Amino acid sequence: MHAVREWLRDASSIAVLTGAGVSAESGVPTFRGSNGLWKQYRAEDLATPGAFARDPKLVWEWYDWRRSLIAQAKPNPGHYALAKAEARARKFTLITQNVDGLHELAGSRKVLRLHGSIWMLRCLDCQSEREDRRIPLPEIPPRCECGGTLRPGVVWFGEALPAKIWQDAEIAARHSDLFLLIGTSAIVYPAAGLASIAKSSGARVVEINIAESGLSDTIDEFLQGPSGELLPQLIA
Ligand code: BJW
Ligand code: ZN
């Protein structure tokens, strides 16, 4: 903990990758682990274009349920600590896999959302995008004015990440001298690969998680515990 505090203070460029674990203490369920199931489905069963094509109603019910939980959620001390770290740092890039928008609500300014936003809807026919925060949605699946079916504006398995956002994330990881990997199982690529990109470019990599992840062997320092407690201690 002490060493990491010094690394944070001395770093000239910090990149952070967050996952569902940073929002767990805000009451947003993670994808994997004990509370990672909705009904009997895993994220891999629902977060795919194929699942949506087969049963858009089922997939939308999952998103509608998550949207209602996220709408009630507030940023936790971990989100606020990261916003504070950004304000203090020379160079700081927050990269998130989360679609909940809690980093922005906590005051983080530069957020690269790799997997989109749960509040954006996109038409399968005309491709137009809009923000829609209504809960519950009046109709499931929701429809575009053009008559097409709307889908959540997120990135599913097998889909490419938004190109410019991914490019910026890769550059931030490559140029960072300190990389924080927080609250992610680090099994979903290409996001998880950012830690290796940072490491092979010479950055120190620090992981914060309640449990070891797939990448814990490769990092410089593992801080075990809830990010809502550890981050405020690191960024006091
Ligand atoms: C705490 C805590 C507390 C709990 N404090 N910690 C090999 C290489 C490259 C790719 C692949 C590959 N093999 C397979 C692939 C493809 C695939 C993939 O990675 N699959 C793996 C499962 C193997 N990847 C893709 O398909 C990606 N696209 C792609 O590769 O495109 C290629 C392409 C190029 C060009 C054209 C076309 C295609 C896309 C991946 C999209 C992932 N989407 C989802 C859904 C987003 C929308 C939504 O939210 O509904 O993203 S799936 C889901 O997993 C979501 C998350 O962002 C993502 C990661 O999950 P995360 O955040 O790590 O959550 P958990 O639950 O897994 O972990 C929580 C962690 O928190 C745990 O470690 C806990 O211990 C911890 N924790 N409480 C701190 N209080
Ligand atoms: Zn449309």
Side-chain angles (χ1 to χ4, degrees):
M1 175 73 95
H2 180 68
V4 179
R5 261 203 213 106
E6 285 187 354
W7 296 347
L8 271 166
R9 199 193 50 213
D10 297 342
S12 51
S13 180
I14 301 171
V16 180
L17 175 67
T18 63
V22 287
S23 296
E25 290 155 87
S26 295
V28 182
T30 60
F31 293 92
R32 299 165 186 89
S34 55
N35 67 351
L37 287 182
W38 174 72
K39 300 188 176 173
Q40 73 273 34
Y41 303 101
R42 301 169 310 136
E44 285 77 1
D45 300 327
L46 298 168
T48 75
F52 193 71
R54 268 191 305 279
D55 197 343
K57 187 165 174 288
L58 174 76
V59 173
W60 262 118
E61 278 166 2
W62 180 49
Y63 280 97
D64 211 32
W65 172 72
R66 289 174 54 206
R67 283 161 59 100
S68 69
L69 294 176
I70 291 169
Q72 293 159 32
K74 294 187 176 58
N76 66 57
H79 294 107
Y80 287 113
L82 287 171
K84 199 185 219 179
E86 178 180 20
R88 281 187 194 163
R90 283 177 277 270
K91 207 154 180 279
F92 189 97
T93 308
L94 179 53
I95 307 160
T96 188
Q97 300 170 84
N98 299 345
V99 298
D100 57 29
L102 291 180
H103 285 303
E104 290 89 339
L105 266 183
S108 284
R109 286 168 176 272
K110 204 167 119 205
V111 184
L112 298 177
R113 282 201 304 251
L114 295 180
H115 293 162
S117 163
I118 201 157
W119 304 116
M120 293 303 290
L121 273 55
R122 186 166 75 245
C123 177
L124 290 183
D125 285 356
C126 71
Q127 304 300 325
S128 65
E129 283 201 300
R130 80 237 34 217
E131 193 184 68
D132 188 336
R133 292 180 174 260
R134 284 176 298 173
I135 292 163
L137 284 161
E139 186 189 11
I140 279 192
R143 301 243 161 237
C144 179
E145 308 82 67
C146 82
T149 303
L150 291 164
R151 59 159 283 177
V154 300
V155 180
W156 284 329
F157 287 111
E159 295 182 325
L161 275 53
K164 173 76 170 83
I165 293 174
W166 172 251
Q167 194 186 357
D168 288 352
E170 226 184 334
I171 292 171
R174 184 163 296 122
H175 293 172
S176 65
D177 51 6
L178 180 62
F179 187 92
L180 308 180
L181 183 68
I182 310 174
T184 175
S185 56
I187 60 167
V188 173
Y189 282 80
L194 290 170
S196 328
I197 292 173
K199 182 85 191 137
S200 56
S201 312
R204 286 196 169 107
V205 180
V206 175
E207 179 171 42
I208 298 175
N209 200 308
I210 53 169
E212 288 201 353
S213 76
L215 293 182
S216 301
D217 288 350
T218 65
I219 52 118
D220 295 291
E221 182 89 20
F222 177 64
L223 300 177
Q224 184 161 18
S227 50
E229 290 175 23
L230 292 181
L231 282 169
Q233 288 172 32
L234 275 179
I235 303 153

